[in-house]
Structures are given as C-alpha cells and as structure tokens.
C-alpha cells in the first residue's frame, strides 16, 4: 500500500445499461434515477424520475392523470426494481422495493419522481409490542421474516432464550417497537449484523456475510477514483462500550457459567456511544481480558473516513470492503464501506459515490 500504485480496474467498456421495472413492467423512457445503499443499520432507498402525462390518452399506463381516471401512482401500489450493468457484461440488481411517495414537478414540463425504500421498509414501519422472550433470537427472527414475506438467511443457529439476556441487561423490551429495531437489538446481543438485500434478510456474523468475506475491491488515487476527500476523527469523538462475553459451548449463557469482561473508551456520557460486543465461547477469563485488550488497541488506532467518486462496478456492494492505494502509509489501507450512491440519466450514464471508514462496525 504505497504511493503511485495503480491497482483496481476501470469499468467495463460496453454501453451502460439500466433496467427499471414498475410493477414488473420494464419502463424505457425513464429520465433519471438514484439508489442509496445506506449501510447495515439503515434502509436502502431509491428515487426515479419519469415523464408525466395530463391526458386521457397517456403514453404509459403508470404515469398519467386524466379527466376520468388516473394511474396507480396517484392512488395505488407501485413496486420498483432497478438493475444496472454494461452491454456484454453482467447486469446486477441494485434495489427492489415499494414506492413511499410520488413528487410531481410542473415547473418545466410534467414529471413525477417516485421515492421509495427496499423491502426493509416493511419491518421498519411495522410496530408492535414484542412478545418473543420465550424464543431464541433465530426463532424470533424467522418468525419476523415470515411476517413480512422475506427469506431468512441464518448461517448460525442461536440457543440462548431472549428473556435471559433481557434480564441480564436489565432491559425491558415489553414495549412497542418496530420489527427492524427489535432485530437490530437481537443482533447486538448475539454479536451479529442485520442486512436486507432484495427479499433476503441476513442475520449472522459480519465475517460470514458473503461479500464481506471476499477480497477487498481495489481503488487507487489518480487511477480509478475522482474527488477523493479524507479526514481523521479526533480521539474524543470515539465513545465506545466494549464487552467480551464467553460461555461453555452448547450451554445457555446464564449466571454461573457466563464470563463478561467490559470497559469503556472515550466519554460514555456523551452523544453517539456505541456498543462493541464479541461473543466467544469456551475461553477463560484471562483470555477474555486479552481479547478485550486487543479490541481496545484496535479501536484506539487513528480513525479515518472519506469519500470519492468513481465509475460503477458490478462487483461493488455496500457489504464488500475496499482497499485504497496511492495515498501513502497510514492512509492507504483497507476500509469498510459506509454508503454507496449510484445514479444516472440517459445522457451521462452511470455514476457512483462511495463513503468509507476504517472504524470497526458496531457489530462484527
């Protein structure tokens, strides 16, 4: 990772291709689009602009308002699917989800922008009084997935009853909360992450996420990136609660056989206090203390973050790490992707912006 290294490919040479579907019908006369992959703790979103007709004889059944009837965009359900790639190359899905709201603009012609979110919006918006304490985390997760028509992806089956760590944390979850927030709570307790792509909902360790396990995607300053910006966070900006939890494998993590080593970094009374929890079975208290020390050493390294623009690469996802070259020792390193914005119109093709950080994700 040194200055002057040109690593990483340029995009495919073929013509950019963007396929946009509305209620399973391909729409060729779209104006522009933007997809935001918003990281593992948030919902991915999109917006797409189309021509709008004020007519009883519209060009398209989904984009008009007439004297006798208007399209489903006005008073119906709209599902949008966006995929992209290059001619002669792989076409990959970017997002699929339902419309949240349409926005019309009659200032210069007639257009409508459809804004929406991925299928993660379903559990995000669904609020109930949770009653899963007598289940394990994976049992509750599976039930929540089926409620929203999503497919659970679970690489590791948990065996701790939810009620046990609720009691251990002196936390009450017998209150109204969204299914999205509840799954994030379960993921934090188990040292997992939660991620929705398409209709699949992943619940498991970050290290077992398919794209995260791949070799980081290479980008080089002066080679295949533009408008690179970076900054270093001040030490006092990092506020963490750090915990290492161990227990005998195959047994429930209960008092008597449960080891918990914890410490704090920074000002835990300040804003944005993050919890880093590692669940490691079959280790001694001394080993747990060493794990805690190693984690704290990693967290107290310099934290860098930044952003850059680049071409669209089909291999890039928000789950995949990147490696940055060409900016010198310390700055050239492996980074986690925070957010990715993919956008385009009929004239400019496809553009991509990436925000990144070297900080350890909240759950790993």
């Amino acid at each position: 990772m040194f200055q002057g290294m040109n690593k990483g490919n340029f995009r495919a040479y073929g013509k950019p291709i963007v396929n946009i579907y509305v209620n399973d019908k391909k729409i060729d006369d779209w104006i522009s689009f933007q997809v935001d992959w918003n990281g593992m703790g948030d919902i991915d979103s999109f917006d797409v602009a189309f021509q709008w007709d004020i007519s009883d004889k519209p060009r398209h059944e989904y984009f008009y308002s007439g004297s006798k009837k208007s399209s489903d965009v006005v008073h119906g359900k709209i599902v949008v699917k966006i995929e992209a790639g290059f001619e002669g190359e792989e076409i990959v899905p970017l997002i699929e989800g339902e419309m949240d709201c349409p926005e019309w603009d009659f200032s210069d012609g007639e257009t409508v922008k459809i804004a929406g979110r991925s299928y993660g919006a379903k559990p995000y918006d669904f609020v109930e009084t949770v009653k899963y304490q007598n289940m394990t985390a994976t049992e509750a997760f599976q039930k929540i997935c089926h409620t929203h028509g999503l497919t659970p992806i679970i690489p590791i089956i948990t065996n701790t009853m939810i009620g046990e760590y609720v009691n251990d944390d002196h936390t009450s979850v017998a209150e109204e909360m969204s299914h999205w927030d509840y799954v994030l709570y379960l993921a934090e307790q188990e040292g997992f992450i939660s991620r929705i792509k398409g209709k699949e909902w992943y619940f498991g360790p970050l290290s077992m996420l398919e794209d995260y396990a791949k070799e980081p995607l290479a980008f080089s300053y002066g080679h295949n990136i533009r408008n690179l910006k970076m900054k270093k966070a001040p030490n006092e900006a990092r506020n963490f609660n750090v915990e290492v939890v161990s227990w005998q494998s195959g047994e429930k993590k209960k008092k008597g056989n449960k080891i918990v080593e914890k410490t704090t970094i920074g000002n835990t009374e300040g804003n944005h206090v993050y919890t880093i929890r590692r669940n490691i079975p079959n280790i001694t208290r001394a080993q747990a203390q060493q794990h805690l020390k190693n984690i704290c050493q990693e967290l107290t390294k310099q934290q860098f973050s930044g952003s850059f623009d680049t071409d669209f690469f089909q291999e890039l996802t928000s789950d995949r790490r990147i490696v940055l070259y060409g900016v010198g020792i310390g700055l050239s390193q492996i980074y986690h992707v925070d957010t990715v914005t993919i956008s385009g119109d009929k004239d400019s093709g496809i553009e991509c912006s990436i925000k990144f950080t070297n900080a350890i994700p909240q759950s790993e």
Side-chain angles (χ1 to χ4, degrees), residues 48-52 63 73 102-105 110-114:
V48 190
F50 301 93
Q51 291 290 339
W52 186 259
F63 308 114
V73 171
E103 300 177 13
W104 288 271
D105 187 348
E110 295 83 39
T111 63
V112 62
K113 182 172 71 175
I114 294 178

Side-chain angles (χ1 to χ4, degrees), residues 101-282:
C101 63
E103 300 177 13
W104 288 271
D105 187 348
F106 300 121
S107 59
D108 184 15
E110 295 83 39
T111 63
V112 62
K113 182 172 71 175
I114 294 178
R117 294 168 292 168
S118 74
Y119 288 121
K122 292 184 176 182
Y124 188 90
D125 293 338
F126 189 94
V127 176
E128 69 166 350
T129 301
V130 293
K131 301 174 181 178
Y132 302 106
Q133 283 86 338
N134 293 325
M135 296 182 181
T136 65
T138 49
E139 288 172 341
F141 174 69
Q142 286 176 311
K143 186 174 181 179
I144 289 172
C145 276
H146 294 149
T147 297
H148 302 291
L150 300 174
T151 301
I153 306 298
I154 308 172
I156 294 179
I157 303 298
T158 64
N159 55 24
T160 301
M161 303 302 288
I162 292 172
E164 290 191 32
Y165 48 66
V166 169
N167 292 334
D168 285 347
D169 289 347
H170 304 288
T171 301
S172 174
V173 293
E175 58 185 23
E176 284 196 347
M177 64 191 313
S178 73
H179 278 174
W180 176 261
D181 288 335
Y182 190 66
V183 170
L184 288 180
Y185 169 77
L186 298 180
E188 181 183 351
Q189 298 301 314
E190 296 292 344
F192 289 173
I193 62 100
S194 168
R195 187 76 174 95
I196 292 179
K197 279 192 172 182
K199 293 186 177 180
E200 294 184 341
W201 196 348
Y202 178 87
F203 182 75
L206 176 62
S207 59
M208 297 181 71
L209 197 61
E210 181 180 2
D211 285 343
Y212 188 85
K214 293 179 180 177
E215 181 179 354
L217 202 59
F219 292 91
S220 296
Y221 176 61
H223 177 59
N224 61 348
I225 62 178
R226 304 179 298 276
N227 302 322
L228 175 64
K229 298 178 181 179
M230 301 185 70
K231 66 179 180 179
K232 182 183 75 174
N235 290 338
E236 60 268 20
R238 298 192 300 273
N239 301 320
F240 295 100
N241 293 319
V242 186
E243 298 181 8
V244 173
V245 181
S246 184
W247 69 98
Q248 294 300 308
S249 181
E251 298 183 15
K252 297 177 179 179
K253 292 175 281 185
K254 60 184 179 181
K255 294 178 180 177
N257 71 352
K258 181 177 179 182
I259 297 173
V260 180
E261 290 293 322
K262 61 177 68 177
T263 190
T264 60
I265 299 175
N267 175 22
T268 57
E269 300 299 322
N271 295 328
H272 307 298
V273 179
Y274 300 97
T275 295
I276 303 293
R277 181 178 286 110
R278 299 290 185 271
N279 293 279
I280 309 173
N282 292 327

Side-chain angles (χ1 to χ4, degrees), residues 52-73:
W52 186 259
D53 288 337
I54 305 174
S55 172
D56 290 324
K57 295 181 179 180
R59 287 169 291 180
H60 198 284
E61 62 181 303
Y62 290 124
F63 308 114
Y64 78 98
S65 52
S67 60
K68 297 179 180 179
K69 186 179 179 180
S70 295
S71 71
D72 287 343
V73 171

